Amino acid sequence: MTLPFALHPGLPSGQEGAAADLYWQAFGPKLNRLLGPEARALRMLAAGIRHDHAIAALDPNGRLIGIAGFRDPDGGLTDQGPALMRQTYGLWGATWRRLAFRALEQDVDNTRFLIDGISVARASRGRGVGTALLAALCDAGYARGYREIRLDVLPENLRARSLYEREGFAVVGTQRMGLAGHLIGVAQTLTMVKTL
C-alpha cells in the first residue's frame, strides 16, 4: 500500500527538528558514542541541517516523513562545523569529536553523485517513501551532470540493501573503517553504485 506524500526539493523551513529526529532514528545507534547524549545530538543536528542538501517527503498534513541527503564539495546533509560543535559540547568535547569525524568522513566522490543518508519515519516505511526519495536523488544527480550515483551501506542492513538492489544499485567494493570504525561499532561498509 502506498502512502500519499509529496517530495520537496530542499528541507522546508521549520522542519529542522523533525529532520534531526528522523536522522537520529536512522543513524543514532551508530553515532551515539560520538554525538550523544541524544538531547545534545538532536539540538546540534537541527541547527546544522543543510536545507539545500536535502530532499524531503511530506505527508498531506505537511509532516516530514522522510528525508534524503547528498554530499558534494560544499558539504553534506548535516554540518557539524567547529563553532557548532564547541557550542554543543564545549572545547574538549568538540575537539575529540571533530578528530573522530575526520577519521570517519568519506571524501567526496568527484565522479559519482554521493548519497548522504536516507531516513523514513517508522510508521511510513514499506509504503514507497524510500523508493521515491532514492529516485529523486537519482534525478538530482543526473540533473547535475553525473552519470553514476553512489551510496555506502552496512552489510547487515538487509532492508536497505534490498531496496537499493531493486532500484538498480550493485555492490562495487568494500570499505574497511579502521580504528575510527570501532568508535561507532562499524567494521566495514559496502559501496553500491548505479548508472544514471
Side-chain angles (χ1 to χ4, degrees), residues 55-66:
I55 298 170
L58 305 172
D59 74 7
N61 297 317
R63 286 181 302 223
L64 186 70
I65 59 170

Side-chain angles (χ1 to χ4, degrees), residues 54-55 70 113 133-146 149 196:
I55 298 170
F70 60 87
F113 192 61
L133 287 169
L134 192 57
L137 284 167
C138 289
D139 291 345
Y142 189 81
R144 286 170 172 77
Y146 291 91
I149 187 167
L196 299 175

Side-chain angles (χ1 to χ4, degrees), residues 146-187:
Y146 291 91
R147 295 303 169 248
E148 289 185 315
I149 187 167
R150 175 188 137 199
L151 59 85
D152 297 295
V153 64
L154 296 177
E156 61 272 15
N157 191 345
L158 301 179
R159 183 182 183 116
R161 282 182 61 192
S162 176
L163 167 63
Y164 303 145
E165 288 166 354
R166 276 195 318 271
E167 296 303 314
F169 285 79
V171 175
V172 297
T174 302
Q175 180 177 353
R176 301 218 178 279
M177 299 301 287
L179 183 60
H182 292 292
L183 289 172
I184 60 172
V186 173

Side-chain angles (χ1 to χ4, degrees), residues 3-68:
L3 181 73
F5 61 90
L7 295 183
H8 188 281
L11 181 69
S13 183
Q15 296 282 1
E16 297 83 3
D21 285 338
L22 280 181
Y23 190 89
W24 194 254
Q25 281 179 27
F27 305 107
K30 292 186 291 285
L31 295 176
N32 190 53
R33 287 185 192 168
L34 289 180
L35 296 181
E38 182 176 341
R40 279 190 188 183
L42 289 173
R43 279 195 311 272
M44 187 192 66
L45 290 169
I49 289 283
R50 300 278 309 273
H51 293 230
D52 61 340
H53 282 63
I55 298 170
L58 305 172
D59 74 7
N61 297 317
R63 286 181 302 223
L64 186 70
I65 59 170
I67 188 167

